[in-house]
């Protein structure tokens, strides 16, 4: 590990510096504050490097993980009266569960299968992440915060009173108080509702209504009428420096330059800007409420969300591992990498950090700066811890608009432009009325739109189901097209069939099965079997190109064979491969329906049998 000490130190320090502004920005964007982003970057970077399976990978909060975390946090805060401290144990428990799930995915060896997730789903999701981050940063970039707009909050006062009363009734129901029998208790509790209570609840409802992409557009007109020009100037200056400084040099991270320059100017000139939340000083402490206050019922509805976080982190990390492999000519260990990421996310959750994954840009920076081993990722984590301890009060003075500007560039950069550019050129294989679309495009756009305006978690699930169904249909169509079951004289002959005796062609029907026989193609297989002419007394089924058979295909094969045998047709199997044979032996198709003497290794031996048994049977 210490052979490349100098390169690892420089690579880790450089990657840590690049990670700093992003960690702060992702923390603020998530809703847990900048400290949560820093804690996540510190612990995930260190422990994922220590236990992971990619030597040069730098891990920490990423845009996709933050976007999903944002949804989780907003949902739980909303059902906890808008109190982030009250909701925090449940939030961190979900993050911890996601980390544990990642460890489990690695231990059971699922790392190598992550690569099979369809590209249109990943593309649509990544573009949606970019849209979500970009749109949701419009309000902080212009200095508009719905909770602080008195006129807007005032619209929710009546709803706030109704919500508080409903909470009282729910509390009484939980305490076993029957409202009809003890209505005086309800009146007593309701009389204690103050104007401050209603205002607090109204602010929570206002923030919830204005959250996400749809919420942002709902209040956008109000935001544009109430622009804070100083905040907008700081955000725009940050964006211009990030893109402009890259044209000068890429040796120094432009994001860090923008953070230091714009924050320095704003603080140095005493501008009246809005700073980020205060970053706690001292060492991070574990949140023991995760364990002591654990309630299974509080996280059961979010198990699927935790699994989504785990899978998303796995995909994000392993894609970055592939990039690292290509740059370093090495080979990562996918399952070990998942275990390392899971440990990093679990530890981060215990200390109040947001979840993360392998970060491509930070990993590339590490490699280009000389990082060679796991030490580089650990150094990046330690550097961020030192910055937290030494510069926490200074970092607390960073303008919120600067982080909004940084996130705008992150949102623009994370979109999958490669997938978007390919849209006009993909084959249009689906017709929706008069409109023809590519199935890949439809999947990608569905995931992108549903993720942006509805729910990230459900959108990915729907995308995976849709992609699976389209794959089944395509494979079924392909198998049906290639598995020609027609009379020999109308079928394109295989090379070894060109000299097939003419006197046998009426009585021998040859079926070519090309491609897998699975649940997507069984219907076509059964229909093709019905085309066997009445003159045929023998059917030869050539299976040399049927590499795979699932259970549905197995029983379809059994039904066809039984039907043929009932018609007194002799069935011969030629060149059956190992997997289909194994399946057919499990339910005794071989040897009960098809005896061993009717199974041939090649067509020549089968032809010899046909000449002896079919042709000779007609000789006088």
């Amino acid at each position: 590990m210490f052979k490349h000490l100098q390169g690892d130190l420089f690579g880790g320090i450089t990657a840590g510096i690049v990670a700093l502004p992003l960690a702060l920005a992702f923390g603020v964007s998530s809703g847990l504050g900048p400290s949560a982003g820093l804690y996540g970057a510190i612990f995930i970077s260190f422990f994922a490097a220590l236990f992971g399976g990619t030597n040069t990978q730098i891990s920490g909060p990423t845009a996709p993980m933050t976007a999903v975390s944002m949804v989780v946090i907003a949902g739980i805060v909303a059902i906890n009266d808008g109190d982030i401290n009250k909701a925090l144990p449940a939030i961190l428990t979900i993050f911890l569960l996601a980390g544990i799930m990642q460890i489990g995915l690695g231990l059971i060896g699922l790392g190598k299968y992550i690569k099979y997730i369809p590209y249109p789903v990943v593309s649509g999701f990544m573009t949606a992440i970019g849209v979500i981050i970009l749109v949701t940063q419009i309000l902080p970039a212009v200095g508009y915060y719905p909770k602080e707009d008195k006129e807007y909050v005032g619209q929710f006062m009546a709803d706030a009173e109704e919500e508080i009363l409903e909470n009282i009734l729910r509390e009484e129901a939980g305490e076993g108080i029957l409202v009809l029998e003890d209505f005086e208790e309800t009146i007593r509790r309701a009389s204690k509702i103050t104007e401050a209570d209603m205002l607090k609840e109204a602010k929570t409802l206002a923030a919830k209504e204005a959250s996400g992409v749809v919420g942002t557009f709902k209040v956008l007109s109000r935001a544009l009428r109430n622009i804070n020009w100083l905040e907008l100037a700081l955000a725009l200056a940050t964006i211009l420096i990030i893109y402009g400084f890259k044209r000068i040099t890429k040796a120094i991270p432009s994001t860090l330059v923008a953070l230091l320059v714009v924050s320095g100017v704003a603080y140095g000139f005493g501008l009246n800007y809005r700073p980020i939340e205060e970053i706690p000083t001292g060492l991070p402490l574990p949140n023991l409420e995760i364990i002591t206050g654990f309630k299974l019922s509080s996280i059961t509805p979010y198990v699927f969300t935790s699994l989504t976080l785990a899978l998303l982190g796995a995909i994000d990390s392993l894609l970055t591992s592939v990039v690292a492999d290509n740059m370093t000519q090495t080979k990562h260990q996918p399952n070990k990498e998942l275990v390392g990421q899971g440990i990093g996310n679990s530890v981060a959750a215990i200390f109040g950090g947001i979840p993360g994954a392998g970060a491509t840009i930070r990993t590339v920076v590490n490699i280009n700066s000389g990082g060679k081993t796991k030490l580089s990722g650990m150094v990046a984590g330690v550097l961020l811890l030192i910055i937290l301890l030494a510069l926490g009060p200074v970092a607390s003075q960073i303008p919120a608009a600067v982080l909004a500007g940084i996130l705008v560039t992150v949102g623009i950069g994370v979109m999958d432009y490669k997938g978007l550019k390919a849209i006009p050129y993909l084959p249009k294989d689906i017709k929706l009325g008069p409109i023809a679309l590519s199935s890949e495009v439809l999947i990608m756009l569905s995931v992108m739109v549903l993720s942006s305006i509805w729910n990230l978690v459900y959108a990915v699930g729907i995308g995976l189901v849709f992609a699976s169904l389209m794959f089944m249909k395509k494979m079924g169509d392909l198998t049906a097209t290639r598995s020609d079951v027609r009379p020999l004289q109308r079928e394109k002959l295989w090379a070894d069939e060109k000299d097939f005796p003419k006197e046998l062609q009426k009585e021998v029907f040859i079926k070519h099965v090309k491609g897998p026989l699975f649940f997507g193609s069984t219907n076509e297989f059964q229909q093709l079997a019905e085309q066997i002419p009445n003159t045929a007394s023998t059917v030869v089924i050539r299976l040399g190109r049927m590499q795979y058979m699932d259970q549905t295909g197995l029983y379809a094969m059994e039904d066809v064979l039984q039907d043929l045998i009932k018609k007194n047709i002799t069935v011969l199997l030629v060149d059956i491969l190992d997997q289909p044979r194994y399946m057919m032996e499990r339910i005794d198709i071989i040897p009960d329906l098809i005896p061993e003497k009717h199974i041939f290794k090649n067509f020549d031996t089968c032809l010899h049998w046909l000449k002896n048994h079919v042709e000779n049977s007609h000789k006088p």
Side-chain angles (χ1 to χ4, degrees):
M1 179 180 288
F2 298 101
K3 180 180 178 181
H4 306 283
L5 180 60
Q6 182 177 349
D8 288 336
L9 287 175
F10 192 68
I13 289 171
T14 308
I17 291 172
V18 172
L20 175 63
L22 295 174
L24 294 171
F26 288 137
V28 172
S29 176
S30 73
L32 288 186
S35 58
L38 266 181
Y39 294 162
I42 291 167
F43 292 108
I44 299 170
S45 179
F46 186 88
F47 287 100
L50 179 61
F51 296 104
T54 311
N55 286 343
T56 55
Q57 180 129 288
I58 303 294
S59 303
T62 61
M65 295 294 279
T66 302
V68 177
S69 301
M70 190 193 313
V71 175
V72 175
I73 293 165
I76 297 180
V77 168
I79 62 176
N80 281 276
D81 306 323
D83 189 339
I84 189 70
N85 293 318
K86 186 177 177 182
L88 189 60
I91 292 169
L92 297 182
T93 301
I94 291 168
F95 294 163
L96 174 61
L97 182 60
I100 293 172
M101 285 181 174
Q102 276 189 321
I103 296 173
L105 292 174
L107 292 177
I108 63 178
L110 287 183
K112 59 185 177 182
Y113 297 108
I114 296 294
K115 61 184 178 182
Y116 295 114
I117 292 180
Y119 177 80
V121 176
V122 177
S123 176
F125 181 78
M126 293 304 294
T127 302
I129 293 298
V131 171
I132 291 170
I133 292 176
L134 185 60
V135 173
T136 56
Q137 293 310 304
I138 293 175
L139 300 186
V142 300
Y144 179 77
Y145 295 86
K147 290 173 66 173
E148 299 174 6
D149 185 342
K150 293 181 180 179
E151 183 182 345
Y152 181 66
V153 171
Q155 299 175 14
F156 295 90
M157 291 297 284
D159 294 330
E161 183 176 14
E162 182 179 340
E163 183 69 22
I164 293 173
L165 288 172
E166 288 182 0
N167 289 336
I168 290 174
L169 294 176
R170 279 194 290 267
E171 288 175 6
E172 291 180 346
E175 296 169 6
I177 298 175
L178 296 177
V179 177
L180 294 177
E181 295 180 3
D182 198 359
F183 196 66
E184 291 182 358
E185 175 62 19
T186 305
I187 296 174
R188 186 186 68 79
R189 295 188 182 188
S191 66
K192 292 184 177 182
I193 300 174
T194 64
E195 190 74 17
D197 293 330
M198 292 175 59
L199 182 60
K200 180 182 177 182
E201 185 65 32
K203 287 182 176 181
T204 300
L205 293 175
K208 182 180 178 182
E209 183 69 15
S211 65
V213 173
V214 176
T216 298
F217 284 118
K218 285 181 179 179
V219 298
L220 186 58
S221 60
R222 296 187 63 86
L224 295 178
R225 292 197 303 269
N226 295 276
I227 294 177
N228 184 317
W229 295 104
L230 173 60
E231 299 290 316
L232 178 59
L234 293 175
L236 290 176
T238 302
I239 295 170
L240 289 174
I241 291 175
I242 289 174
Y243 287 122
F245 194 78
K246 287 180 181 179
R247 295 179 177 272
I248 300 173
T249 178
K250 293 184 179 179
I252 303 174
S254 62
T255 303
L256 181 65
V257 173
L259 177 71
L260 294 177
V261 171
V262 181
S263 299
V265 170
Y267 183 78
F269 284 90
L271 301 180
N272 186 27
Y273 64 87
R274 181 191 186 98
I276 62 174
E277 297 176 27
E278 184 176 352
I279 299 174
T281 57
L283 288 168
L285 298 175
N287 191 316
L288 299 179
E289 286 186 63
I290 296 179
I291 300 172
T292 57
F294 176 79
K295 291 181 181 179
L296 183 62
S297 59
S298 64
I299 65 166
T300 301
Y302 297 95
V303 169
F304 183 63
T305 303
S306 296
L307 179 59
T308 302
L309 271 171
L311 290 172
L312 176 60
I315 297 168
D316 209 358
S317 299
L318 295 181
L319 287 176
T320 302
S321 295
V322 172
V323 173
D325 285 349
N326 291 334
M327 293 184 67
T328 60
Q329 301 302 309
T330 57
K331 183 69 176 176
H332 72 280
Q333 301 175 60
N335 293 318
K336 187 177 181 181
E337 182 61 35
L338 291 190
V339 171
Q341 292 292 333
I343 292 173
N345 279 313
S346 299
V347 176
I350 293 172
F351 283 88
I354 59 174
T360 304
I361 294 175
R362 281 159 268 177
T363 299
V364 170
V365 166
N366 176 43
I367 294 170
N368 288 337
S369 301
K372 298 285 186 182
T373 74
K374 296 181 177 184
L375 183 62
S376 58
M378 297 163 66
V379 167
V382 171
L383 175 68
L384 290 171
L385 178 60
I386 294 172
I387 292 173
L388 170 67
L389 297 177
L391 302 176
V394 176
S396 297
Q397 300 303 315
I398 295 172
V402 170
L403 297 187
I406 291 172
L407 284 172
V408 166
T409 64
V410 171
I412 293 172
V414 80
M415 293 184 191
D416 181 35
Y417 297 103
K418 180 180 177 181
L420 292 173
K421 288 178 182 178
I423 288 177
Y425 307 105
L426 294 173
K428 296 175 174 58
D429 52 358
I430 290 182
K431 287 189 177 181
L432 299 176
I435 303 174
L437 288 173
S438 164
S439 57
E440 282 83 0
V441 171
L442 190 58
I443 293 168
M444 184 181 71
L445 293 179
S446 298
V447 173
M448 183 182 71
V449 173
L450 292 176
S451 295
S452 301
I453 66 174
W454 182 41
N455 187 293
L456 282 163
V457 178
Y458 296 151
V460 171
I462 291 171
L464 288 173
V465 171
F466 190 15
S468 300
L469 291 173
M470 293 308 302
F471 172 76
M472 296 175 208
K473 182 182 183 302
K474 286 182 179 179
M475 288 301 296
D477 292 345
L478 179 62
T479 304
T481 301
R482 297 184 61 191
S483 296
D484 302 318
V485 181
R486 294 169 290 181
L488 186 61
Q489 60 267 29
R490 285 188 284 141
E491 180 181 353
K492 184 177 179 180
L493 301 177
W494 287 7
D496 55 0
E497 298 170 355
K498 291 181 179 179
D499 297 326
F500 193 78
K502 293 183 179 180
E503 58 270 22
L504 290 177
Q505 289 187 13
K506 289 185 178 180
E507 293 205 47
V508 177
F509 180 83
I510 300 178
K511 174 193 283 188
H512 296 154
V513 181
K514 296 177 283 186
L517 184 61
F518 70 115
F519 58 88
S521 62
T522 53
N523 185 52
E524 288 80 5
F525 175 78
Q526 291 167 325
Q527 290 177 350
L528 292 172
E530 296 173 358
Q531 296 179 13
I532 298 172
N534 295 328
T535 58
S537 63
T538 304
V539 171
V540 177
I541 305 179
R542 304 200 63 175
L543 302 173
R545 299 184 188 179
M546 188 185 79
Q547 306 91 340
Y548 174 78
M549 170 190 286
D550 71 355
Q551 191 171 11
T552 306
L554 176 66
Y555 290 123
M557 174 71 77
E558 182 183 39
D559 290 342
V560 170
L561 294 177
Q562 287 176 340
D563 184 53
L564 294 174
I565 291 170
K566 285 179 182 177
K567 296 177 180 178
N568 294 320
I569 294 175
T570 302
V571 179
L572 309 179
L573 303 182
V574 178
D575 194 21
I576 181 171
L577 301 179
D578 290 342
Q579 192 273 344
R581 183 181 181 111
Y582 175 83
M583 293 289 287
M584 294 167 77
E585 287 175 346
R586 293 311 93 192
I587 63 170
D588 295 325
I589 289 178
I590 301 173
D592 289 358
L593 289 179
I594 309 296
E596 287 289 347
K597 63 182 182 180
H598 288 170
I599 300 175
F600 303 92
K601 290 184 178 181
N602 54 60
F603 188 70
D604 289 340
T605 55
C606 177
L607 182 58
H608 184 266
W609 188 94
L610 290 170
K611 288 179 178 179
N612 289 332
H613 292 78
V614 178
E615 184 177 357
N616 292 340
S617 65
H618 296 282
K619 292 182 180 180

